[in-house]
Amino acid sequence: MLKPATTQRSSRTFLIAVCIFAFVLRVSVMFALSSYRVVEDDTNHFGFGWEMGRVAASLAQGNGFSSPLPLPTGPTAIVGPLFPLMLALIFKVFGVYSMGSSIAIHVVQCVFSSLTCLFIYLCGRDSVGEASGKLAAVLWAVFPLNIFFTVTKIWETSLTGMLTAALFWYMLRTRDSVSVPRWALAGALLAIASLINTSLVMLSIPFGLWALWKKRTRVILPVTVGVLMCAAVVSPWLIRNHAEFGKFMLRSNFPLEFRVANNEWSFGQKVEALHPSNTLPVNQHWQNVGESQFMAEQSAANAKFVATHFSMFAFATLNRIVYYWTGAWIKPSADFPNSLPIILATSVLSLVGLLGIWQMFSDKNPAAFMFAGCLLIYPIVYYVTTSQPRFYHAITPLLILSAANWIVNCRDKVLDSQASRAHRDRGLAQVP
């Protein structure tokens, strides 16, 4: 039997190896595809990080957190602050929209993606077993969708995937605790995540409900401290937004995201022409009226559309739900056709991942509620706005881990069956 220290060294060696493998694989693909090259076009590099890149360029050039679109539009809150700040730092060191910056950003994204292997393993070790955690880490290392987003797109997608796994792991270890410092740190981590991708806040709900159900009044103080810590960390951003826009908010873009996917010209897919980043007159209108007024106009249009075309909105929502989990539109559009490879990959991962959660419930694993709760709650905002593969990607660490749990369970059943058959055969052979 292996000693604990030997087992720990073996696990540490495995983690180092799989993280290095994941990193080398992603960097190799990046250079093989030359995806780091900066494309010169008539948009002044808007495709270099899109809104994130524009805000980062504004920061690096001393113009503040502003102008996320091709035309300058003033202060903004349509993206969280931390990822553009990271890009701006890289721009300051390597140059705005330079090839050096592009390589540096892609390498940093490769680091985030590779470290996700570590957190997926830790989630598995502390919930469904070390074998499932190791398999999930390897599956993530070669996961094509993550490699694609990591090496071809400049966005917070890879960082969000890492934060999903990291938050899930930390909250797994916090849900049964009544430690004030532990919950305070959970609140701080959640705040940091919310300043990168606001939707990650939803991941805390199942853990908070579990803690209140299991610990009752004993957890009220720790959870309250966690909430206050979260509020304290995000407060500078909230105060800045109140000063600029007259309201406390993490992001301002919900009305726009709702509008571009809920309208008379769509079955639930995003209508690119309605987005100011794609249509100059819309960008100019935003520039003229300012972000607050523009979003107010979008909100009014949204309310009118839902009131007068509720059946269209309901179908659009259903269409997005089906697409989110299967990669298939019930009713595709010319700009968003169904693609068999995407449908097969997304549907298989969703199915096997959900089978893994079913297995957890069958095994009476308390982590089943956490997995199911996060997968149920996290996508809700995308059901009513836009459904895209990068939004599905955020929860794929959990799906891959639950899928690994199902695969390991199936393997164990096969091995147990073979062992039982061999034992029976030996018994029969010994009968005179």
Side-chain angles (χ1 to χ4, degrees), residues 267 312-324 330 383:
F267 307 123
M312 289 183 66
F313 169 67
F315 176 79
T317 301
L318 177 62
N319 204 17
R320 286 187 291 264
I321 292 173
V322 172
Y323 179 79
Y324 190 93
I330 301 174
Y383 295 160

Side-chain angles (χ1 to χ4, degrees), residues 69-71 273 275-288:
L69 301 172
L71 296 179
H275 200 285
S277 63
N278 302 306
T279 306
L280 183 60
V282 182
N283 192 169
Q284 289 173 331
H285 178 64
W286 182 325
Q287 186 182 50
N288 293 334

Side-chain angles (χ1 to χ4, degrees), residues 3-74:
K3 296 181 179 179
T6 305
T7 303
Q8 290 177 3
R9 284 197 297 271
S10 175
S11 297
R12 189 180 303 115
T13 300
F14 165 80
L15 286 172
I16 293 172
V18 75
C19 288
I20 291 175
F21 168 74
F23 178 77
V24 171
L25 176 60
R26 282 152 177 76
V27 172
S28 299
V29 172
M30 178 189 77
F31 282 106
L33 298 177
S34 298
S35 58
Y36 58 87
R37 294 191 180 278
V38 179
V39 178
E40 300 289 344
D41 55 27
D42 59 359
T43 68
N44 189 24
H45 305 103
F46 184 70
F48 191 116
W50 296 281
E51 292 89 346
M52 296 281 192
R54 272 292 191 267
V55 174
S58 177
L59 286 166
Q61 294 164 348
N63 297 319
F65 201 93
S66 64
S67 301
L69 301 172
L71 296 179
T73 53

Side-chain angles (χ1 to χ4, degrees), residues 204-222:
S204 66
I205 295 176
F207 295 96
L209 292 175
W210 175 274
L212 290 171
W213 177 44
K214 285 291 186 179
K215 300 299 181 180
R216 302 296 198 278
T217 56
R218 287 187 297 158
V219 81
I220 291 178
L221 175 60

Side-chain angles (χ1 to χ4, degrees), residues 71-129:
L71 296 179
T73 53
T76 188
I78 72 167
V79 295
L82 294 190
F83 193 75
L85 284 169
M86 185 196 78
L87 297 186
L89 178 60
I90 294 174
F91 281 169
K92 292 289 285 186
V93 175
F94 295 99
V96 176
Y97 294 141
S98 70
M99 187 175 295
S101 290
S102 180
I103 293 174
I105 293 166
H106 281 98
V107 168
V108 169
Q109 292 185 161
C110 290
V111 171
F112 293 146
S113 177
S114 303
L115 287 176
T116 307
C117 296
L118 165 64
F119 292 111
I120 287 178
Y121 163 79
L122 293 172
C123 287
R125 185 197 65 184
D126 293 349
S127 61
V128 293

Side-chain angles (χ1 to χ4, degrees), residues 151-168:
V151 305
T152 65
K153 308 293 182 183
I154 295 177
W155 202 259
E156 37 77 3
T157 312
S158 295
L159 178 54
T160 293
M162 186 191 76
L163 288 172
T164 297
L167 280 171
F168 193 88

